[in-house]
Amino acid sequence: MDQEKIDRINHLAQKHKTHGLTPEEEAERHTLRQEYISGFKKNLTHHLDNVYLVDEDGNKEKLKKKDE
């Protein structure tokens, strides 16, 4: 997500706290927030896919998903 969209999210959040939002702005804020959350989850998943656990003997084991 680019900085322009993040700035817009912050602007809408500030406006929501002070003046309130129109229904169109609420919809825009919701869409932008969902896009931000989706990107955050994707980056976190990618980061965790590259994490290894090392035991006392120096053996590496790839971090497993909770449901595996």
Side-chain angles (χ1 to χ4, degrees):
M1 174 169 269
D2 59 354
Q3 188 61 41
E4 183 179 311
K5 288 183 179 181
I6 294 172
D7 292 341
R8 181 66 179 157
I9 292 171
N10 292 333
H11 172 74
L12 291 171
Q14 186 65 33
K15 186 175 178 185
H16 175 72
K17 290 178 184 177
T18 58
H19 304 297
L21 298 175
T22 65
E24 294 83 17
E25 290 172 330
E26 280 283 344
E28 179 186 8
R29 182 176 83 152
H30 177 73
T31 302
L32 289 171
R33 290 172 84 185
Q34 291 303 316
E35 183 180 339
Y36 178 82
I37 291 168
S38 175
F40 182 85
K41 286 180 180 179
K42 182 178 177 182
N43 288 337
L44 180 61
T45 300
H46 179 19
H47 181 73
L48 291 175
D49 285 344
N50 295 310
V51 171
Y52 289 86
L53 301 175
V54 180
D55 63 13
E56 297 85 22
D57 298 328
N59 299 321
K60 290 184 180 179
E61 182 178 342
K62 190 163 181 76
L63 188 63
K64 297 178 185 170
K65 292 185 179 181
K66 189 173 183 176
D67 57 328
E68 290 182 3

Short mmCIF file of all heavy atoms in Angstrom, two decimals:
data_model
loop_
_atom_site.label_atom_id
_atom_site.label_comp_id
_atom_site.label_asym_id
_atom_site.label_seq_id
_atom_site.Cartn_x
_atom_site.Cartn_y
_atom_site.Cartn_z
N MET A 1 0.85 -1.17 0.00
CA MET A 1 0.00 0.00 0.00
C MET A 1 0.90 1.23 0.00
O MET A 1 1.86 1.30 0.76
CB MET A 1 -0.91 -0.02 1.22
CG MET A 1 -1.74 1.22 1.39
SD MET A 1 -3.02 1.08 2.63
CE MET A 1 -4.35 0.52 1.63
N ASP A 2 0.55 2.18 -0.83
CA ASP A 2 1.39 3.36 -0.93
C ASP A 2 1.06 4.39 0.16
O ASP A 2 0.02 4.33 0.79
CB ASP A 2 1.31 3.99 -2.32
CG ASP A 2 -0.09 4.42 -2.70
OD1 ASP A 2 -1.04 4.13 -1.96
OD2 ASP A 2 -0.24 5.07 -3.75
N GLN A 3 1.97 5.31 0.35
CA GLN A 3 1.85 6.28 1.44
C GLN A 3 0.63 7.18 1.25
O GLN A 3 0.01 7.60 2.23
CB GLN A 3 3.12 7.13 1.51
CG GLN A 3 3.17 8.05 2.72
CD GLN A 3 3.13 7.29 4.03
OE1 GLN A 3 3.79 6.26 4.19
NE2 GLN A 3 2.38 7.78 4.99
N GLU A 4 0.25 7.45 0.02
CA GLU A 4 -0.91 8.30 -0.24
C GLU A 4 -2.19 7.69 0.35
O GLU A 4 -3.01 8.39 0.94
CB GLU A 4 -1.06 8.50 -1.74
CG GLU A 4 -2.20 9.42 -2.14
CD GLU A 4 -2.27 9.60 -3.64
OE1 GLU A 4 -1.23 9.89 -4.26
OE2 GLU A 4 -3.38 9.46 -4.18
N LYS A 5 -2.35 6.38 0.20
CA LYS A 5 -3.53 5.71 0.74
C LYS A 5 -3.50 5.69 2.27
O LYS A 5 -4.52 5.86 2.92
CB LYS A 5 -3.64 4.30 0.19
CG LYS A 5 -4.05 4.26 -1.26
CD LYS A 5 -4.23 2.85 -1.75
CE LYS A 5 -4.66 2.81 -3.20
NZ LYS A 5 -4.87 1.43 -3.67
N ILE A 6 -2.32 5.49 2.85
CA ILE A 6 -2.19 5.49 4.30
C ILE A 6 -2.52 6.88 4.85
O ILE A 6 -3.23 7.01 5.86
CB ILE A 6 -0.78 5.04 4.73
CG1 ILE A 6 -0.58 3.57 4.35
CG2 ILE A 6 -0.56 5.25 6.22
CD1 ILE A 6 0.83 3.06 4.53
N ASP A 7 -2.04 7.90 4.17
CA ASP A 7 -2.37 9.27 4.57
C ASP A 7 -3.87 9.52 4.50
O ASP A 7 -4.44 10.19 5.35
CB ASP A 7 -1.63 10.28 3.71
CG ASP A 7 -0.13 10.28 3.95
OD1 ASP A 7 0.31 9.77 5.01
OD2 ASP A 7 0.61 10.79 3.08
N ARG A 8 -4.51 8.98 3.47
CA ARG A 8 -5.97 9.15 3.34
C ARG A 8 -6.70 8.44 4.48
O ARG A 8 -7.67 8.97 5.03
CB ARG A 8 -6.43 8.62 1.97
CG ARG A 8 -7.90 8.77 1.72
CD ARG A 8 -8.32 10.21 1.61
NE ARG A 8 -9.75 10.28 1.35
CZ ARG A 8 -10.52 11.31 1.60
NH1 ARG A 8 -10.00 12.41 2.09
NH2 ARG A 8 -11.80 11.26 1.35
N ILE A 9 -6.26 7.25 4.85
CA ILE A 9 -6.85 6.53 5.99
C ILE A 9 -6.73 7.37 7.25
O ILE A 9 -7.70 7.54 7.99
CB ILE A 9 -6.17 5.15 6.20
CG1 ILE A 9 -6.49 4.20 5.06
CG2 ILE A 9 -6.61 4.54 7.53
CD1 ILE A 9 -5.69 2.93 5.09
N ASN A 10 -5.55 7.94 7.48
CA ASN A 10 -5.33 8.77 8.67
C ASN A 10 -6.19 10.03 8.64
O ASN A 10 -6.73 10.43 9.67
CB ASN A 10 -3.85 9.13 8.80
CG ASN A 10 -3.01 7.92 9.14
OD1 ASN A 10 -3.49 6.97 9.74
ND2 ASN A 10 -1.76 7.96 8.74
N HIS A 11 -6.33 10.62 7.47
CA HIS A 11 -7.17 11.81 7.34
C HIS A 11 -8.63 11.48 7.66
O HIS A 11 -9.30 12.21 8.41
CB HIS A 11 -7.06 12.39 5.93
CG HIS A 11 -8.03 13.49 5.65
ND1 HIS A 11 -7.87 14.75 6.18
CD2 HIS A 11 -9.18 13.51 4.93
CE1 HIS A 11 -8.89 15.50 5.79
NE2 HIS A 11 -9.69 14.77 5.01
N LEU A 12 -9.12 10.37 7.13
CA LEU A 12 -10.51 9.97 7.39
C LEU A 12 -10.71 9.62 8.86
O LEU A 12 -11.77 9.91 9.43
CB LEU A 12 -10.91 8.80 6.49
CG LEU A 12 -11.05 9.14 5.01
CD1 LEU A 12 -11.24 7.86 4.20
CD2 LEU A 12 -12.20 10.11 4.76
N ALA A 13 -9.72 9.01 9.48
CA ALA A 13 -9.83 8.68 10.90
C ALA A 13 -9.92 9.94 11.75
O ALA A 13 -10.73 10.03 12.67
CB ALA A 13 -8.64 7.83 11.33
N GLN A 14 -9.08 10.91 11.42
CA GLN A 14 -9.10 12.18 12.16
C GLN A 14 -10.43 12.90 11.95
O GLN A 14 -11.01 13.45 12.89
CB GLN A 14 -7.93 13.07 11.71
CG GLN A 14 -7.79 14.33 12.52
CD GLN A 14 -7.45 14.05 13.98
OE1 GLN A 14 -6.76 13.08 14.28
NE2 GLN A 14 -7.94 14.87 14.87
N LYS A 15 -10.91 12.90 10.73
CA LYS A 15 -12.19 13.56 10.42
C LYS A 15 -13.33 12.87 11.15
O LYS A 15 -14.25 13.51 11.63
CB LYS A 15 -12.44 13.58 8.92
CG LYS A 15 -13.67 14.37 8.53
CD LYS A 15 -13.82 14.46 7.04
CE LYS A 15 -15.10 15.24 6.73
NZ LYS A 15 -15.38 15.27 5.30
N HIS A 16 -13.26 11.54 11.23
CA HIS A 16 -14.29 10.78 11.94
C HIS A 16 -14.35 11.18 13.41
O HIS A 16 -15.43 11.31 13.99
CB HIS A 16 -14.01 9.28 11.80
CG HIS A 16 -14.93 8.41 12.59
ND1 HIS A 16 -16.24 8.21 12.24
CD2 HIS A 16 -14.73 7.69 13.71
CE1 HIS A 16 -16.81 7.40 13.12
NE2 HIS A 16 -15.91 7.08 14.01
N LYS A 17 -13.20 11.41 14.01
CA LYS A 17 -13.13 11.79 15.42
C LYS A 17 -13.65 13.20 15.66
O LYS A 17 -14.22 13.48 16.73
CB LYS A 17 -11.69 11.70 15.94
CG LYS A 17 -11.18 10.30 16.06
CD LYS A 17 -9.74 10.30 16.53
CE LYS A 17 -9.17 8.90 16.56
NZ LYS A 17 -7.76 8.91 16.95
N THR A 18 -13.46 14.11 14.70
CA THR A 18 -13.81 15.51 14.93
C THR A 18 -15.17 15.90 14.36
O THR A 18 -15.98 16.50 15.06
CB THR A 18 -12.74 16.44 14.33
OG1 THR A 18 -12.60 16.17 12.94
CG2 THR A 18 -11.41 16.26 15.04
N HIS A 19 -15.44 15.56 13.11
CA HIS A 19 -16.65 16.03 12.44
C HIS A 19 -17.63 14.93 12.07
O HIS A 19 -18.80 15.22 11.83
CB HIS A 19 -16.31 16.78 11.15
CG HIS A 19 -15.37 17.93 11.35
ND1 HIS A 19 -15.68 19.02 12.11
CD2 HIS A 19 -14.11 18.14 10.88
CE1 HIS A 19 -14.67 19.86 12.11
NE2 HIS A 19 -13.69 19.35 11.38
N GLY A 20 -17.17 13.72 11.97
CA GLY A 20 -18.01 12.64 11.46
C GLY A 20 -17.80 12.49 9.96
O GLY A 20 -17.25 13.37 9.30
N LEU A 21 -18.22 11.37 9.43
CA LEU A 21 -18.01 11.07 8.01
C LEU A 21 -19.34 10.92 7.29
O LEU A 21 -20.34 10.49 7.89
CB LEU A 21 -17.21 9.77 7.85
CG LEU A 21 -15.80 9.74 8.43
CD1 LEU A 21 -15.22 8.35 8.28
CD2 LEU A 21 -14.91 10.75 7.75
N THR A 22 -19.33 11.23 6.01
CA THR A 22 -20.49 10.98 5.17
C THR A 22 -20.52 9.49 4.86
O THR A 22 -19.51 8.78 5.02
CB THR A 22 -20.41 11.78 3.86
OG1 THR A 22 -19.29 11.30 3.11
CG2 THR A 22 -20.27 13.27 4.12
N PRO A 23 -21.66 8.97 4.41
CA PRO A 23 -21.71 7.54 4.05
C PRO A 23 -20.68 7.16 2.98
O PRO A 23 -20.12 6.06 3.02
CB PRO A 23 -23.14 7.36 3.53
CG PRO A 23 -23.92 8.42 4.22
CD PRO A 23 -22.98 9.59 4.35
N GLU A 24 -20.42 8.06 2.04
CA GLU A 24 -19.41 7.77 1.01
C GLU A 24 -18.02 7.68 1.62
O GLU A 24 -17.22 6.82 1.24
CB GLU A 24 -19.42 8.86 -0.08
CG GLU A 24 -20.70 8.91 -0.89
CD GLU A 24 -21.81 9.70 -0.22
OE1 GLU A 24 -21.54 10.47 0.72
OE2 GLU A 24 -22.97 9.51 -0.62
N GLU A 25 -17.73 8.56 2.55
CA GLU A 25 -16.43 8.53 3.22
C GLU A 25 -16.29 7.29 4.11
O GLU A 25 -15.21 6.70 4.20
CB GLU A 25 -16.22 9.80 4.05
CG GLU A 25 -16.02 11.04 3.21
CD GLU A 25 -16.01 12.32 4.01
OE1 GLU A 25 -16.69 12.38 5.06
OE2 GLU A 25 -15.31 13.26 3.59
N GLU A 26 -17.39 6.89 4.75
CA GLU A 26 -17.36 5.65 5.55
C GLU A 26 -17.02 4.46 4.67
O GLU A 26 -16.22 3.61 5.04
CB GLU A 26 -18.73 5.42 6.22
CG GLU A 26 -18.96 6.22 7.46
CD GLU A 26 -18.24 5.65 8.67
OE1 GLU A 26 -17.78 4.49 8.66
OE2 GLU A 26 -18.13 6.41 9.65
N ALA A 27 -17.65 4.39 3.49
CA ALA A 27 -17.39 3.29 2.57
C ALA A 27 -15.94 3.32 2.09
O ALA A 27 -15.29 2.27 2.00
CB ALA A 27 -18.35 3.36 1.39
N GLU A 28 -15.43 4.52 1.78
CA GLU A 28 -14.05 4.65 1.34
C GLU A 28 -13.10 4.22 2.45
O GLU A 28 -12.13 3.50 2.21
CB GLU A 28 -13.76 6.10 0.94
CG GLU A 28 -12.33 6.33 0.50
CD GLU A 28 -12.00 7.78 0.25
OE1 GLU A 28 -12.83 8.67 0.54
OE2 GLU A 28 -10.88 8.03 -0.23
N ARG A 29 -13.37 4.66 3.67
CA ARG A 29 -12.52 4.30 4.82
C ARG A 29 -12.52 2.79 5.02
O ARG A 29 -11.46 2.18 5.23
CB ARG A 29 -13.01 5.00 6.08
CG ARG A 29 -12.14 4.71 7.29
CD ARG A 29 -12.58 5.48 8.48
NE ARG A 29 -13.67 4.77 9.13
CZ ARG A 29 -13.94 4.84 10.42
NH1 ARG A 29 -13.25 5.61 11.20
NH2 ARG A 29 -14.93 4.16 10.94
N HIS A 30 -13.68 2.17 4.92
CA HIS A 30 -13.78 0.72 5.09
C HIS A 30 -12.96 -0.01 4.02
O HIS A 30 -12.21 -0.95 4.33
CB HIS A 30 -15.24 0.28 5.05
CG HIS A 30 -15.42 -1.19 5.16
ND1 HIS A 30 -15.24 -1.85 6.35
CD2 HIS A 30 -15.75 -2.13 4.24
CE1 HIS A 30 -15.45 -3.15 6.15
NE2 HIS A 30 -15.75 -3.34 4.88
N THR A 31 -13.10 0.43 2.78
CA THR A 31 -12.36 -0.21 1.68
C THR A 31 -10.85 -0.06 1.87
O THR A 31 -10.11 -1.03 1.71
CB THR A 31 -12.78 0.41 0.34
OG1 THR A 31 -14.19 0.26 0.17
CG2 THR A 31 -12.06 -0.24 -0.82
N LEU A 32 -10.42 1.15 2.21
CA LEU A 32 -8.99 1.37 2.42
C LEU A 32 -8.45 0.58 3.60
O LEU A 32 -7.34 0.03 3.54
CB LEU A 32 -8.71 2.87 2.62
CG LEU A 32 -8.86 3.76 1.39
CD1 LEU A 32 -8.79 5.22 1.78
CD2 LEU A 32 -7.82 3.42 0.34
N ARG A 33 -9.22 0.51 4.67
CA ARG A 33 -8.77 -0.24 5.85
C ARG A 33 -8.66 -1.72 5.54
O ARG A 33 -7.72 -2.39 5.98
CB ARG A 33 -9.71 0.00 7.03
CG ARG A 33 -9.59 1.41 7.58
CD ARG A 33 -10.64 1.69 8.61
NE ARG A 33 -10.20 1.19 9.91
CZ ARG A 33 -10.95 1.21 10.99
NH1 ARG A 33 -12.18 1.69 10.95
NH2 ARG A 33 -10.48 0.76 12.14
N GLN A 34 -9.62 -2.26 4.78
CA GLN A 34 -9.57 -3.68 4.42
C GLN A 34 -8.34 -3.96 3.53
O GLN A 34 -7.69 -4.98 3.69
CB GLN A 34 -10.85 -4.10 3.70
CG GLN A 34 -12.05 -4.12 4.60
CD GLN A 34 -11.86 -5.04 5.80
OE1 GLN A 34 -11.37 -6.15 5.68
NE2 GLN A 34 -12.23 -4.56 6.97
N GLU A 35 -8.05 -3.05 2.62
CA GLU A 35 -6.87 -3.20 1.77
C GLU A 35 -5.59 -3.17 2.61
O GLU A 35 -4.67 -3.96 2.40
CB GLU A 35 -6.84 -2.08 0.73
CG GLU A 35 -5.72 -2.18 -0.26
CD GLU A 35 -5.73 -1.06 -1.28
OE1 GLU A 35 -6.78 -0.43 -1.49
OE2 GLU A 35 -4.66 -0.81 -1.87
N TYR A 36 -5.54 -2.26 3.59
CA TYR A 36 -4.37 -2.15 4.47
C TYR A 36 -4.20 -3.43 5.29
O TYR A 36 -3.10 -3.99 5.38
CB TYR A 36 -4.52 -0.95 5.40
CG TYR A 36 -3.38 -0.81 6.37
CD1 TYR A 36 -2.19 -0.20 5.98
CD2 TYR A 36 -3.48 -1.29 7.67
CE1 TYR A 36 -1.12 -0.07 6.86
CE2 TYR A 36 -2.42 -1.17 8.55
CZ TYR A 36 -1.25 -0.57 8.14
OH TYR A 36 -0.21 -0.46 9.01
N ILE A 37 -5.28 -3.92 5.86
CA ILE A 37 -5.23 -5.14 6.68
C ILE A 37 -4.80 -6.33 5.84
O ILE A 37 -3.98 -7.16 6.27
CB ILE A 37 -6.57 -5.38 7.38
CG1 ILE A 37 -6.80 -4.31 8.44
CG2 ILE A 37 -6.65 -6.78 7.98
CD1 ILE A 37 -8.21 -4.29 8.99
N SER A 38 -5.34 -6.44 4.64
CA SER A 38 -4.98 -7.55 3.75
C SER A 38 -3.48 -7.52 3.43
O SER A 38 -2.81 -8.56 3.46
CB SER A 38 -5.80 -7.44 2.47
OG SER A 38 -5.40 -8.41 1.54
N GLY A 39 -2.95 -6.35 3.12
CA GLY A 39 -1.53 -6.23 2.83
C GLY A 39 -0.68 -6.54 4.04
O GLY A 39 0.38 -7.17 3.93
N PHE A 40 -1.12 -6.10 5.22
CA PHE A 40 -0.39 -6.37 6.45
C PHE A 40 -0.32 -7.88 6.71
O PHE A 40 0.75 -8.42 7.02
CB PHE A 40 -1.07 -5.67 7.63
CG PHE A 40 -0.36 -5.85 8.93
CD1 PHE A 40 0.70 -5.04 9.28
CD2 PHE A 40 -0.73 -6.87 9.79
CE1 PHE A 40 1.36 -5.22 10.48
CE2 PHE A 40 -0.08 -7.07 10.99
CZ PHE A 40 0.98 -6.23 11.33
N LYS A 41 -1.44 -8.56 6.56
CA LYS A 41 -1.47 -10.01 6.77
C LYS A 41 -0.57 -10.73 5.77
O LYS A 41 0.13 -11.68 6.13
CB LYS A 41 -2.90 -10.53 6.66
CG LYS A 41 -3.77 -10.19 7.84
CD LYS A 41 -5.17 -10.74 7.64
CE LYS A 41 -6.08 -10.42 8.80
NZ LYS A 41 -7.44 -10.94 8.59
N LYS A 42 -0.60 -10.28 4.52
CA LYS A 42 0.23 -10.91 3.49
C LYS A 42 1.71 -10.75 3.83
O LYS A 42 2.47 -11.72 3.74
CB LYS A 42 -0.08 -10.28 2.14
CG LYS A 42 0.67 -10.89 0.99
CD LYS A 42 0.27 -10.23 -0.32
CE LYS A 42 1.09 -10.80 -1.46
NZ LYS A 42 0.76 -10.15 -2.73
N ASN A 43 2.12 -9.55 4.23
CA ASN A 43 3.52 -9.32 4.59
C ASN A 43 3.92 -10.12 5.82
O ASN A 43 5.03 -10.67 5.87
CB ASN A 43 3.76 -7.83 4.84
CG ASN A 43 3.74 -7.02 3.57
OD1 ASN A 43 3.96 -7.54 2.49
ND2 ASN A 43 3.47 -5.73 3.70
N LEU A 44 3.05 -10.20 6.81
CA LEU A 44 3.36 -10.97 8.02
C LEU A 44 3.50 -12.45 7.69
O LEU A 44 4.43 -13.12 8.16
CB LEU A 44 2.28 -10.76 9.07
CG LEU A 44 2.48 -11.50 10.39
CD1 LEU A 44 3.78 -11.08 11.07
CD2 LEU A 44 1.30 -11.27 11.31
N THR A 45 2.59 -12.97 6.87
CA THR A 45 2.65 -14.38 6.48
C THR A 45 3.95 -14.67 5.73
O THR A 45 4.62 -15.68 5.98
CB THR A 45 1.45 -14.75 5.61
OG1 THR A 45 0.25 -14.51 6.34
CG2 THR A 45 1.49 -16.20 5.20
N HIS A 46 4.31 -13.78 4.82
CA HIS A 46 5.55 -13.95 4.06
C HIS A 46 6.76 -13.95 5.01
O HIS A 46 7.68 -14.76 4.88
CB HIS A 46 5.69 -12.86 3.03
CG HIS A 46 6.94 -12.93 2.20
ND1 HIS A 46 7.71 -14.06 2.05
CD2 HIS A 46 7.56 -12.01 1.44
CE1 HIS A 46 8.74 -13.82 1.28
NE2 HIS A 46 8.67 -12.57 0.90
N HIS A 47 6.76 -13.05 5.98
CA HIS A 47 7.86 -12.98 6.94
C HIS A 47 7.93 -14.26 7.77
O HIS A 47 9.01 -14.83 7.96
CB HIS A 47 7.67 -11.77 7.85
CG HIS A 47 8.76 -11.59 8.84
ND1 HIS A 47 10.01 -11.15 8.51
CD2 HIS A 47 8.79 -11.82 10.17
CE1 HIS A 47 10.76 -11.11 9.58
NE2 HIS A 47 10.05 -11.51 10.62
N LEU A 48 6.79 -14.73 8.26
CA LEU A 48 6.78 -15.93 9.10
C LEU A 48 7.13 -17.18 8.32
O LEU A 48 7.63 -18.16 8.90
CB LEU A 48 5.43 -16.08 9.78
CG LEU A 48 5.11 -15.05 10.85
CD1 LEU A 48 3.68 -15.23 11.36
CD2 LEU A 48 6.10 -15.13 12.00
N ASP A 49 6.88 -17.19 7.01
CA ASP A 49 7.27 -18.33 6.18
C ASP A 49 8.78 -18.50 6.11
O ASP A 49 9.28 -19.56 5.75
CB ASP A 49 6.71 -18.18 4.77
CG ASP A 49 5.22 -18.47 4.69
OD1 ASP A 49 4.68 -19.07 5.65
OD2 ASP A 49 4.60 -18.07 3.68
N ASN A 50 9.53 -17.46 6.45
CA ASN A 50 10.99 -17.51 6.40
C ASN A 50 11.63 -17.60 7.79
O ASN A 50 12.81 -17.32 7.94
CB ASN A 50 11.52 -16.28 5.66
CG ASN A 50 11.10 -16.28 4.22
OD1 ASN A 50 11.28 -17.27 3.53
ND2 ASN A 50 10.52 -15.19 3.76
N VAL A 51 10.84 -17.99 8.80
CA VAL A 51 11.35 -18.09 10.16
C VAL A 51 11.68 -19.55 10.47
O VAL A 51 10.92 -20.45 10.15
CB VAL A 51 10.31 -17.56 11.18
CG1 VAL A 51 10.73 -17.86 12.60
CG2 VAL A 51 10.11 -16.07 10.98
N TYR A 52 12.84 -19.76 11.07
CA TYR A 52 13.26 -21.09 11.48
C TYR A 52 13.51 -21.09 12.98
O TYR A 52 13.99 -20.10 13.54
CB TYR A 52 14.55 -21.52 10.76
CG TYR A 52 14.34 -21.80 9.30
CD1 TYR A 52 14.39 -20.78 8.36
CD2 TYR A 52 14.07 -23.09 8.85
CE1 TYR A 52 14.19 -21.03 7.01
CE2 TYR A 52 13.88 -23.36 7.50
CZ TYR A 52 13.94 -22.32 6.59
OH TYR A 52 13.74 -22.58 5.26
N LEU A 53 13.19 -22.19 13.62
CA LEU A 53 13.49 -22.39 15.03
C LEU A 53 14.77 -23.21 15.14
O LEU A 53 14.94 -24.18 14.41
CB LEU A 53 12.35 -23.11 15.73
CG LEU A 53 10.99 -22.43 15.69
CD1 LEU A 53 9.93 -23.33 16.31
CD2 LEU A 53 11.04 -21.11 16.40
N VAL A 54 15.65 -22.82 16.04
CA VAL A 54 16.91 -23.53 16.23
C VAL A 54 16.92 -24.08 17.65
O VAL A 54 16.74 -23.35 18.62
CB VAL A 54 18.12 -22.59 16.01
CG1 VAL A 54 19.42 -23.34 16.21
CG2 VAL A 54 18.06 -21.96 14.64
N ASP A 55 17.13 -25.41 17.76
CA ASP A 55 17.16 -26.01 19.10
C ASP A 55 18.58 -25.92 19.68
O ASP A 55 19.48 -25.34 19.07
CB ASP A 55 16.65 -27.45 19.07
CG ASP A 55 17.50 -28.38 18.22
OD1 ASP A 55 18.62 -28.01 17.85
OD2 ASP A 55 17.04 -29.50 17.93
N GLU A 56 18.76 -26.51 20.87
CA GLU A 56 20.04 -26.42 21.58
C GLU A 56 21.19 -27.05 20.79
O GLU A 56 22.34 -26.67 20.94
CB GLU A 56 19.95 -27.09 22.95
CG GLU A 56 18.98 -26.45 23.91
CD GLU A 56 17.55 -26.96 23.70
OE1 GLU A 56 17.34 -28.06 23.14
OE2 GLU A 56 16.63 -26.23 24.08
N ASP A 57 20.88 -28.05 19.97
CA ASP A 57 21.91 -28.75 19.20
C ASP A 57 22.24 -28.04 17.89
O ASP A 57 23.10 -28.48 17.14
CB ASP A 57 21.45 -30.18 18.88
CG ASP A 57 21.24 -31.00 20.15
OD1 ASP A 57 21.97 -30.74 21.13
OD2 ASP A 57 20.36 -31.87 20.16
N GLY A 58 21.54 -26.97 17.58
CA GLY A 58 21.79 -26.23 16.35
C GLY A 58 20.97 -26.70 15.17
O GLY A 58 21.22 -26.28 14.04
N ASN A 59 20.02 -27.59 15.42
CA ASN A 59 19.17 -28.08 14.34
C ASN A 59 18.11 -27.04 14.00
O ASN A 59 17.44 -26.52 14.88
CB ASN A 59 18.49 -29.40 14.73
CG ASN A 59 19.49 -30.48 15.03
OD1 ASN A 59 20.51 -30.60 14.35
ND2 ASN A 59 19.22 -31.26 16.06
N LYS A 60 17.96 -26.77 12.71
CA LYS A 60 16.96 -25.80 12.25
C LYS A 60 15.67 -26.53 11.88
O LYS A 60 15.71 -27.60 11.27
CB LYS A 60 17.45 -25.04 11.03
CG LYS A 60 18.57 -24.08 11.30
CD LYS A 60 18.89 -23.32 10.03
CE LYS A 60 20.02 -22.35 10.25
NZ LYS A 60 20.34 -21.64 9.00
N GLU A 61 14.56 -25.93 12.27
CA GLU A 61 13.26 -26.47 11.89
C GLU A 61 12.38 -25.31 11.45
O GLU A 61 12.29 -24.28 12.13
CB GLU A 61 12.62 -27.19 13.08
CG GLU A 61 11.30 -27.83 12.74
CD GLU A 61 10.71 -28.57 13.92
OE1 GLU A 61 11.44 -28.88 14.88
OE2 GLU A 61 9.50 -28.82 13.89
N LYS A 62 11.76 -25.47 10.29
CA LYS A 62 10.92 -24.42 9.76
C LYS A 62 9.70 -24.23 10.68
O LYS A 62 9.15 -25.19 11.20
CB LYS A 62 10.45 -24.77 8.36
CG LYS A 62 9.76 -23.65 7.65
CD LYS A 62 9.72 -23.93 6.16
CE LYS A 62 9.07 -22.82 5.42
NZ LYS A 62 9.88 -21.65 5.25
N LEU A 63 9.33 -22.98 10.90
CA LEU A 63 8.17 -22.67 11.71
C LEU A 63 6.93 -23.21 11.04
O LEU A 63 6.74 -23.03 9.84
CB LEU A 63 8.05 -21.14 11.89
CG LEU A 63 7.02 -20.63 12.86
CD1 LEU A 63 7.35 -21.10 14.28
CD2 LEU A 63 6.97 -19.13 12.83
N LYS A 64 6.11 -23.95 11.77
CA LYS A 64 4.92 -24.58 11.20
C LYS A 64 3.69 -23.75 11.51
O LYS A 64 3.62 -23.06 12.52
CB LYS A 64 4.74 -25.98 11.77
CG LYS A 64 5.86 -26.92 11.43
CD LYS A 64 5.66 -28.26 12.06
CE LYS A 64 6.87 -29.15 11.80
NZ LYS A 64 6.83 -30.37 12.57
N LYS A 65 2.71 -23.85 10.62
CA LYS A 65 1.43 -23.20 10.87
C LYS A 65 0.72 -23.93 12.00
O LYS A 65 0.95 -25.13 12.24
CB LYS A 65 0.57 -23.23 9.61
CG LYS A 65 1.13 -22.35 8.53
CD LYS A 65 0.20 -22.29 7.35
CE LYS A 65 0.79 -21.36 6.30
NZ LYS A 65 -0.08 -21.25 5.12
N LYS A 66 -0.15 -23.23 12.69
CA LYS A 66 -0.80 -23.78 13.87
C LYS A 66 -1.65 -25.02 13.52
O LYS A 66 -1.72 -25.96 14.29
CB LYS A 66 -1.70 -22.71 14.49
CG LYS A 66 -2.26 -23.07 15.82
CD LYS A 66 -2.99 -21.91 16.42
CE LYS A 66 -3.50 -22.25 17.79
NZ LYS A 66 -4.14 -21.12 18.44
N ASP A 67 -2.27 -25.05 12.36
CA ASP A 67 -3.15 -26.16 12.02
C ASP A 67 -2.41 -27.37 11.46
O ASP A 67 -3.01 -28.39 11.18
CB ASP A 67 -4.21 -25.70 11.00
CG ASP A 67 -3.63 -25.12 9.74
OD1 ASP A 67 -2.55 -24.51 9.81
OD2 ASP A 67 -4.26 -25.26 8.67
N GLU A 68 -1.08 -27.29 11.29
CA GLU A 68 -0.33 -28.44 10.78
C GLU A 68 0.08 -29.40 11.87
O GLU A 68 0.35 -29.09 12.96
CB GLU A 68 0.92 -27.96 10.04
CG GLU A 68 0.60 -27.27 8.76
CD GLU A 68 1.86 -26.84 8.03
OE1 GLU A 68 2.98 -27.12 8.48
OE2 GLU A 68 1.71 -26.21 6.98
#
